[in-house]
Amino acid sequence: TGEERIVVVGWSTLSPNANNKDWTVMRFKSNGTTDASFGTSGIVKTPFLGFGDSAKRVAIDSANRIVVAGNTRSASVNCGGYVIDTGIARYTLNGGLDPTFSGGKQTVDIYGAMDQMYGLALQPDDKVLLFGYSNVNGANTTYMALTRLNVDGSRDASFGLLGNGTVTLDLTGFDNYGLAVGVQPGDGKIVVAGSVDPPGTAPWDMAVARYLP
């Protein structure tokens, strides 16, 4: 219809004391009323692993598809009883999962341990950038992690040196947390920011890095 819409993402629970979270997307009209043409009465819930899924970031691509990223949880005997991974989904205008995007949804696991996603950005060609941090089982280092997905949802093998679409960064040998990502409008270079914690009693520092597109 050409009318502007407002899309918000997050999570919802069935009751105030419920432990489980549902990945939730809502759309509103420009006047603030719920857009009933989206999903079910303006709401879309997308299950991933069923143990606690939370959407955190949203972006609209050049084809007006809705790209949503966040975290998923699966039960595990390790990592405090559950494992967190990055989740991403792409929706059509009516709220349906876009099957051309790796079936509509997927999880991204880099090292087999915990992955936390905090940054989402789209390149001009609609490739998806996910930024956060990743752990390795049994290791003390947490890495900043930047992953690029193709328009069809597959890992972009041309990004990074390992052919898996991911680059990681360790600035301190201990904790490196990725928090935000953006794309420079002029040259397409990718800028990331986060916080780092050196071993010992040294204070936390801010960290910024830039990657070639």
Side-chain angles (χ1 to χ4, degrees):
T1 63
E3 182 183 347
E4 295 292 331
R5 297 288 194 268
I6 302 166
V7 181
V8 298
V9 303
W11 61 86
S12 56
T13 59
L14 293 176
S15 67
N17 296 322
N19 292 322
N20 211 19
K21 299 175 182 178
D22 293 324
W23 177 291
T24 304
V25 183
M26 297 184 67
R27 191 167 74 189
F28 299 89
K29 296 182 178 180
S30 58
N31 63 4
T33 59
T34 302
D35 183 359
S37 69
F38 183 75
T40 302
S41 301
I43 301 172
V44 172
K45 294 185 178 183
T46 303
F48 279 83
L49 303 174
F51 191 64
D53 306 317
S54 56
K56 291 187 173 182
R57 299 288 185 269
V58 60
I60 311 299
D61 72 9
S62 64
N64 288 321
R65 296 168 297 204
I66 302 166
V67 181
V68 179
N71 291 317
T72 69
R73 296 201 309 174
S74 59
S76 172
V77 296
N78 300 313
C79 301
Y82 57 88
V83 173
I84 300 175
D85 286 319
T86 295
I88 183 165
R90 192 169 72 192
Y91 303 88
T92 60
L93 282 174
N94 65 4
L97 286 171
D98 181 0
T100 67
F101 187 73
S102 292
K105 65 177 183 178
Q106 62 175 297
T107 59
V108 178
D109 184 2
I110 296 173
Y111 288 130
M114 182 169 66
D115 299 271
Q116 289 266 36
M117 195 290 310
Y118 286 97
L120 168 68
L122 301 181
Q123 296 187 166
D125 57 4
D126 286 333
K127 289 185 178 182
V128 179
L129 296 168
L130 299 168
F131 186 58
Y133 61 88
S134 297
N135 294 102
V136 179
N137 280 328
N140 293 324
T141 303
T142 299
Y143 299 89
M144 289 186 181
L146 177 64
T147 300
R148 188 162 74 186
L149 304 179
N150 293 309
V151 179
D152 64 2
S154 62
R155 296 275 194 101
D156 184 356
S158 69
F159 187 68
L161 302 177
L162 300 179
N164 64 355
T166 295
V167 292
T168 59
L169 182 62
D170 175 16
L171 295 175
T172 67
F174 191 50
D175 283 335
N176 304 267
Y177 295 116
L179 299 175
V181 59
V183 179
Q184 294 184 174
D187 55 16
K189 291 179 179 178
I190 303 162
V191 180
V192 299
S195 59
V196 296
D197 180 22
T201 60
W204 286 75
D205 293 316
M206 295 178 62
V208 179
R210 188 168 70 183
Y211 295 91
L212 296 173

